Amino acid sequence: MSRVGHAIVPGYILLCLLIGGSGQGMWGNAVLQIGGAALLAWAALTREPAVMPRPGRWLLGIIAALALLFILQLAPLPPAVWTVLSGRAEFADGFAMLGMRPPWLPVSLAPYATLAAAMTLLPPLAVLVAMFRLRNWGAGWVLGAIVIGA
């Protein structure tokens, strides 16, 4: 692998340190999320992934459970289910006052905020998965990126 290939994961970490982590930096975070999705795709499609240690598999299992939690919070539920959940009576009453049948709604009261929170986890997830699955990064390069970013 070329020097450029060895610098991709550390370079992404450096970008995360320089332009990420701010609620005000919408475009910077968007770039990092798109880059994170690309890094995840690259790690998933690599032909010769690194052998993942057992603790790494456990950590990815926890991450998969977190992804499942986000999916469950965003999946639409029938009115018979979501109306009996805590805090939903006001919403059901609002639909009744309007003369409307309650629609299928997710568990999350703010689904767009839930999706936005899930997207903020893409950069750290991409770094973690890339470090587990890809062979072409070096600890020295990562340390250098962290020192430069700091």
Side-chain angles (χ1 to χ4, degrees), residues 53-80:
R54 186 174 181 166
R57 289 192 301 266
W58 277 99
L59 186 56
L60 289 180
I62 292 170
I63 292 168
L66 178 65
L68 181 63
L69 176 65
F70 277 116
I71 290 168
L72 290 175
Q73 287 181 351
L74 294 172
L77 298 173

Side-chain angles (χ1 to χ4, degrees), residues 1-10 42 135-138 141:
M1 180 62 63
S2 68
R3 282 181 143 338
V4 174
H6 288 289
I8 291 176
V9 173
W42 181 32
R135 298 172 191 240
N136 60 346
W137 63 275
W141 286 77

